[in-house]
Amino acid sequence: MSKEWPQEGYFACGGGSSGGTLITYGAMAQENIPLHASALLGREIGIRGLTIGRWLRGVAPERRASDIASVTAIAFALSAEFDVAGTYTLDQITEAVQHVSRPGKIGTVIVKT
């Protein structure tokens, strides 16, 4: 398994593995992340926070393209794991943005190209 992002963030907590980094990004959810100290102790697991703005400023365009391709592939492969609030086409982008901003929205708003 590669030690480069994004894989380490996705696989660090799997069945007794050691090493790697749990990466959390954004602040969309208001609840705490439940994490017991025993999940970290003795396993050399790190935790990092990341925002989209810092990521955009901090990586080369080639890396951004690679990261986006990896995340897109993972999202498609695991699409059944997402709670979908709504799906829009690119010509409905205004409606999609409005949906994202709705109070009480639960789930992911998807824009298909």
Side-chain angles (χ1 to χ4, degrees):
M1 170 171 50
S2 170
K3 283 292 192 178
E4 298 213 12
W5 188 87
Q7 289 86 6
E8 70 181 37
Y10 289 102
F11 298 112
C13 295
S17 66
S18 64
T21 304
L22 170 64
I23 300 172
T24 182
Y25 63 94
M28 296 183 334
Q30 297 300 313
E31 62 271 358
N32 292 327
I33 299 171
L35 181 64
H36 196 276
S38 65
L40 304 173
L41 298 173
R43 294 190 183 188
E44 299 178 27
I45 295 175
I47 301 174
R48 291 186 54 208
L50 182 66
T51 64
I52 190 73
R54 196 169 70 213
W55 175 73
L56 285 171
R57 291 187 305 274
V59 297
E62 298 82 17
R63 179 64 184 259
R64 283 195 303 267
S66 173
D67 289 350
I68 290 169
S70 295
V71 169
T72 301
I74 291 167
F76 277 115
L78 300 174
S79 62
E81 300 298 319
F82 292 95
D83 291 329
V84 177
T87 303
Y88 298 87
T89 59
L90 199 52
D91 62 332
Q92 297 172 307
I93 193 70
T94 301
E95 292 90 347
V97 171
Q98 290 171 345
H99 192 162
V100 167
S101 303
R102 285 183 196 159
K105 178 197 70 70
I106 297 173
T108 303
V109 173
I110 298 172
V111 177
K112 292 185 176 185
T113 56

